[in-house]
Amino acid sequence: MQHPKTFWKKKSLMCLFISNLVKNQQTPSNQWLVQRWLADKKRHLARPKSLISGRGPVNQALAKPDEALDLKHSKIKQEWSHEYQPPPGQPLTGSLAATSPVEEIIAPVLARPDLLITRNVEWANLAFGFEQQNRYVIIDPRQPQAPVGYILEDSNILLRQLMRTRRPFVASILDANGTVVFQVRRPIWFINSAIYVEIDGKVIGECHRRWHLWRRNYDVYLGNKQFAAVENPGFWHWTFTLKDRNQGRLAEIDRNWRGFGYEFLTDAGQYMIRFGDAEPLPVSRTLTLLERAVALALAVSLDNDYFSRHSNAGWGLPLPFFGSGE
């Protein structure tokens, strides 16, 4: 049996090696995310106990949903704000024309041919097997000087340790100024996962995994109408293509390879969503802004279903193999 001192020494050396590896990667989004994570952690520790326990002012605020939302995200807006929000990369015309106030709010994040989504290293998960809340940075590869948005998970700490990637959570999608533009909700699951896009508490779209022994199949809906399906061959195929009923390509979600150190040691995922344009990715039609919000939710679901390997290898509750994705 390995001596405890030797075990923790190896853990410390591994963390030091990975820390140096991350520093050598020229990825600005990782640095931004670590800074935001630390700021958010300080914000949480500074909150009054009445807000954390659910007693006191929160009960009064729950009677007014708008005020409750402002109370929850007011400090996040201050800490996650940027002076510069990259302008939309595509003209807001045709299918991308904003026809409602909701679409005007999500347009600065989603009106772009490509989105690069990065999940940063979970150090507590890596070193101790402690499952943390996922944090993502959203970058426009054509305007990488500043993030266009963020994704913040909100979930129960005990369910994270027991259920791991099958846990329920709500993730808020924020623009570069820290304003919540919409949310995705993922219920607890055992066989097939699902994720729902919510705006002002109303479900506007959803993605449902369709069970198969090895294929990775999904049905994608806007409202009650299915507008796309994904049929990935599974195994080492890391490109997920959204297709219409005529097998026309609508968008692609690629799991990017970031090098041996990142993939096998840190488990820091990175995804490219390609919505298509005339030149980089020919598509049968341009997805609307609301459909793109559902595609972004699908990328979050894929990350949890298939690519969070450290989350699957911790202390979690043993569950049957079906639906695990691998």
Side-chain angles (χ1 to χ4, degrees):
M1 183 175 179
Q2 191 176 42
H3 194 276
K5 290 185 177 180
T6 304
F7 172 79
W8 290 114
K9 183 177 181 180
K10 289 183 178 179
K11 281 286 186 180
S12 301
L13 291 175
M14 183 180 71
C15 289
L16 180 61
F17 168 75
I18 296 172
S19 176
N20 292 332
L21 180 114
V22 171
K23 289 179 181 179
N24 293 332
Q25 293 285 333
Q26 300 301 319
T27 309
S29 59
N30 291 330
Q31 299 174 4
W32 288 323
L33 192 54
V34 170
Q35 294 172 2
R36 300 306 185 276
W37 183 86
L38 293 173
D40 189 58
K41 199 69 176 176
K42 293 178 181 179
R43 175 192 64 80
H44 179 76
L45 295 175
R47 294 174 64 188
K49 291 185 178 180
S50 60
L51 296 182
I52 299 174
S53 62
R55 298 187 292 272
V58 170
N59 290 334
Q60 300 176 2
L62 288 177
K64 299 179 180 180
D66 294 338
E67 294 183 9
L69 185 63
D70 291 340
L71 177 65
K72 183 177 181 180
H73 296 290
S74 59
K75 291 186 177 181
I76 295 180
K77 287 182 179 180
Q78 298 174 6
E79 296 169 358
W80 284 63
S81 62
H82 269 268
E83 296 181 357
Y84 178 72
Q85 166 84 54
Q90 291 177 299
L92 300 179
T93 58
S95 299
L96 292 180
T99 59
S100 66
V102 168
E103 291 178 305
E104 292 179 359
I105 294 175
I106 66 177
V109 178
L110 298 176
R112 306 174 186 279
D114 309 298
L115 290 176
L116 182 64
I117 302 174
T118 301
R119 171 165 54 84
N120 205 67
V121 181
E122 299 176 4
W123 294 108
N125 191 345
L126 179 64
F128 309 109
F130 183 84
E131 183 68 22
Q132 299 174 259
Q133 297 182 115
N134 287 331
R135 309 292 177 101
Y136 305 80
V137 168
I138 307 174
I139 301 287
D140 184 345
R142 306 183 185 195
Q143 304 179 67
Q145 59 271 35
V148 300
Y150 306 92
I151 304 176
L152 299 178
E153 176 189 338
D154 184 14
S155 58
N156 181 274
I157 185 172
L158 294 179
L159 287 178
R160 286 202 308 273
Q161 313 316 314
L162 289 175
M163 303 306 297
R164 296 290 175 171
T165 58
R166 300 170 188 268
R167 66 184 180 265
F169 65 81
V170 175
S172 298
I173 286 77
L174 292 72
D175 63 14
N177 296 315
T179 302
V180 177
V181 295
F182 65 93
Q183 293 181 314
V184 296
R185 176 174 54 85
R186 185 169 144 115
I188 194 171
W189 66 279
F190 295 95
I191 298 178
N192 290 325
S193 65
I195 197 165
Y196 300 87
V197 178
E198 297 181 347
I199 298 179
D200 295 332
K202 180 181 177 182
V203 176
I204 60 99
E206 53 199 75
C207 306
H208 294 272
R209 181 178 172 187
R210 189 170 3 108
W211 188 88
H212 192 278
L213 187 59
W214 66 86
R215 291 182 181 273
R216 300 164 175 177
N217 299 333
Y218 289 83
D219 296 318
V220 187
Y221 297 84
L222 183 64
N224 296 323
K225 182 180 180 182
Q226 182 176 354
F227 71 90
V230 174
E231 295 186 353
N232 180 281
F235 302 107
W236 287 99
H237 292 267
W238 286 9
T239 297
F240 299 82
T241 303
L242 284 76
K243 296 183 178 181
D244 59 22
R245 63 176 61 186
N246 298 319
Q247 296 300 304
R249 180 169 49 191
L250 299 174
E252 285 185 353
I253 302 174
D254 286 334
R255 171 66 157 82
N256 285 353
W257 175 267
R258 305 185 69 189
F260 177 84
Y262 266 96
E263 296 299 332
F264 292 98
L265 298 177
T266 69
D267 195 30
Q270 190 173 80
Y271 303 83
M272 177 73 77
I273 305 180
R274 296 184 173 89
F275 293 120
D277 208 340
E279 185 177 339
L281 180 71
V283 293
S284 59
R285 69 174 180 86
T286 302
L287 293 180
T288 66
L289 292 170
L290 293 180
E291 289 172 336
R292 294 183 179 204
V294 181
L296 177 59
L298 176 60
V300 175
S301 194
L302 290 172
D303 181 45
N304 284 270
D305 282 346
Y306 302 114
F307 299 108
S308 294
R309 292 185 307 280
H310 289 294
S311 297
N312 284 321
W315 307 330
L317 185 69
L319 293 170
F321 75 92
F322 47 80
S324 64
E326 296 292 349

